[in-house]
């Protein structure tokens, strides 16, 4: 798995289960809070970080004393785990740091010749990865925003903390080489193979800044891709850029479901650079911003 993805051993794997009974073999202690969250959100796109049982291989936990566990809702995933009769430790099926796959075709593009089999369960419905919630201490904290929103978690546990803010400066390579408590913690991740930039501000300010940058790069002979919202289409339809529309800025669920596919389509179109606009941080917007920040390596342009 690590060889096929070229994944560093410092990046732990998520253990996928098909029954809550499987947890007893994976964790040392399950708090009442954690049980409450499991009952409410499982099966679904929520991963819990809990104290690891000694029988969990340290390769899975990156040598840490915690383990990340999720119960997926997809019938194919559940069927696979049940057929194997054991939990499955698994990451996303792509080359490490590249844009996450949301279809079997994306998996083949990244891992052809590196894996013997692709089990096609259809296109991803959520689009972004699971939310990772650290419940190994008294204060539940989101390590990676994802398919379950902060608002949904706080409706059940009001004390849930958002992800910590991090510096957008050049990555601290020494820090990133250390074992991480959950996947998706590196500054550069989910990234296309061409440079990308994230524009953030009021909608009109973002459009204006993106169009100016687009025109500047076109004058330099570059081909430009833009990742935009429905509300932006009229401003970019005659721009000469390769355009991918994610959905309305008010529909974070649709935007999240199309985000990774959009980055891959623009990358495959052969553009020299991708300009992305930001979206409101409500609903799945927190996860969308997280993925865009990491896809651009923190190259944020305030507008």
């Amino acid at each position: 798995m690590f060889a096929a993805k070229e994944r560093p051993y410092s990046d732990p794997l998520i253990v996928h289960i098909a029954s809550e009974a499987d947890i007893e073999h994976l964790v040392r202690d399950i708090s009442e809070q954690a049980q409450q969250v499991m009952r409410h959100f499982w099966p679904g796109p929520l991963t819990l970080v809990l104290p690891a049982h000694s029988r969990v291989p340290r390769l899975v936990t990156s040598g840490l004393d915690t383990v990340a566990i999720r119960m997926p809702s997809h019938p194919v995933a559940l069927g696979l785990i049940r057929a194997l009769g054991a939990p499955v430790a698994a990451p996303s099926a792509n080359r490490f740091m590249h844009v996450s796959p949301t279809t079997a075709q994306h998996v083949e593009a990244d891992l052809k010749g590196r894996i013997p089999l692709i089990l096609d369960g259809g296109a991803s419905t959520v689009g972004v990865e699971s939310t990772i919630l650290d419940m190994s201490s008294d204060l539940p904290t989101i390590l990676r925003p994802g398919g379950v929103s902060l608002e949904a978690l706080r409706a059940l546990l009001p004390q849930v903390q958002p992800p910590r803010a991090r510096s957008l400066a050049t990555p601290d390579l020494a820090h990133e080489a250390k074992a991480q408590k959950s996947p998706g913690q590196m500054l550069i991740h989910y990234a296309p193979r061409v440079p990308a930039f994230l524009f953030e501000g009021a909608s009109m300010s973002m459009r204006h800044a993106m169009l100016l940058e687009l025109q500047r790069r076109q004058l330099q002979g570059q081909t430009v891709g833009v990742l935009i919202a429905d509300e932006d289409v009229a401003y970019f339809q005659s721009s000469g850029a390769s355009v991918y529309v994610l959905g309305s800025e008010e529909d974070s669920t649709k935007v999240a479901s199309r985000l990774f596919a959009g980055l891959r389509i623009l990358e495959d179109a052969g553009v020299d650079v991708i300009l992305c606009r930001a979206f409101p941080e409500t609903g799945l917007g927190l996860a969308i911003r997280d993925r865009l920040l990491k896809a651009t390596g923190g190259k944020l342009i305030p507008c």
Side-chain angles (χ1 to χ4, degrees):
M1 192 183 302
F2 285 92
K5 284 177 59 72
E6 299 178 2
R7 181 187 181 99
Y9 295 110
S10 59
D11 206 28
L13 301 172
I14 294 174
V15 179
H16 299 78
I17 62 174
S19 166
E20 286 188 27
D22 295 332
I23 295 179
E24 297 176 11
H25 307 289
L26 300 171
V27 304
R28 289 182 279 109
D29 178 60
I30 308 173
S31 67
E32 176 55 40
Q33 264 192 347
Q35 293 179 45
Q36 186 181 8
V37 171
M38 292 172 199
R39 288 192 296 267
H40 194 275
F41 290 104
W42 279 1
L46 178 66
T47 296
L48 301 183
V49 173
L50 298 164
H53 195 287
S54 59
R55 64 168 56 95
V56 178
R58 293 177 68 79
L59 182 64
V60 169
T61 67
S62 296
L64 299 176
D65 61 359
T66 54
V67 60
I69 304 174
R70 182 165 89 88
M71 186 189 295
S73 58
H74 198 290
V76 173
L78 291 172
L80 174 65
I81 298 166
R82 288 170 182 148
L84 290 170
V88 175
S92 55
N94 61 325
R95 296 284 282 273
F96 184 68
M97 296 182 74
H98 191 217
V99 180
S100 294
T102 53
T103 69
Q105 290 72 31
H106 296 162
V107 178
E108 183 178 32
D110 271 24
L111 299 179
K112 186 176 183 179
R114 291 171 169 262
I115 55 175
L117 177 73
I118 297 173
L119 179 60
D120 187 355
S124 168
T125 52
V126 178
V128 293
E129 297 83 355
S130 62
T131 298
I132 300 180
L133 182 66
D134 183 7
M135 300 205 71
S136 63
S137 58
D138 293 335
L139 196 61
T141 302
I142 293 176
L143 300 179
R144 180 184 73 183
V148 174
S149 69
L150 174 62
E151 296 92 331
L153 288 169
R154 281 184 168 170
L156 183 69
L157 296 179
Q159 70 271 37
V160 169
Q161 299 299 298
R164 66 176 180 84
R166 64 178 296 168
S167 169
L168 298 181
T170 303
D172 181 345
L173 298 180
H175 172 75
E176 295 201 344
K178 296 178 181 177
Q180 305 294 316
K181 208 166 191 179
S182 87
Q185 298 302 294
M186 297 182 177
L187 178 58
I188 301 174
H189 211 84
Y190 318 110
R193 295 189 178 96
V194 298
F197 297 84
L198 176 59
F199 292 74
E200 190 170 62
S203 293
M204 282 304 299
S205 299
M206 283 190 290
R207 293 171 193 138
H208 180 68
M210 288 175 70
L211 282 167
L212 286 177
E213 181 65 11
L214 188 161
Q215 292 162 2
R216 185 183 75 81
R217 289 180 176 273
Q218 286 176 331
L219 288 173
Q220 295 176 350
Q222 295 185 18
T223 56
V224 182
V226 293
L227 208 59
I228 60 172
D230 288 344
E231 293 82 356
D232 307 321
V233 171
Y235 299 88
F236 289 89
Q237 59 187 1
S238 301
S239 66
S242 293
V243 176
Y244 188 87
V245 184
L246 292 171
S248 171
E249 59 187 6
E250 302 302 324
D251 188 352
S252 65
T253 300
K254 183 177 181 180
V255 171
S257 72
R258 293 170 59 84
L259 177 60
F260 288 139
L263 285 168
R264 282 180 175 264
I265 285 171
L266 291 177
E267 177 186 77
D268 292 343
V271 300
D272 297 307
V273 65
I274 299 174
L275 309 181
C276 313
R277 65 104 80 199
F279 289 81
E281 293 183 31
T282 54
L284 297 190
L286 202 62
I288 293 165
R289 185 176 190 271
D290 173 81
R291 302 309 188 273
L292 285 172
L293 274 175
K294 290 169 182 170
T296 59
K299 295 190 289 290
L300 180 65
I301 300 175
C303 305

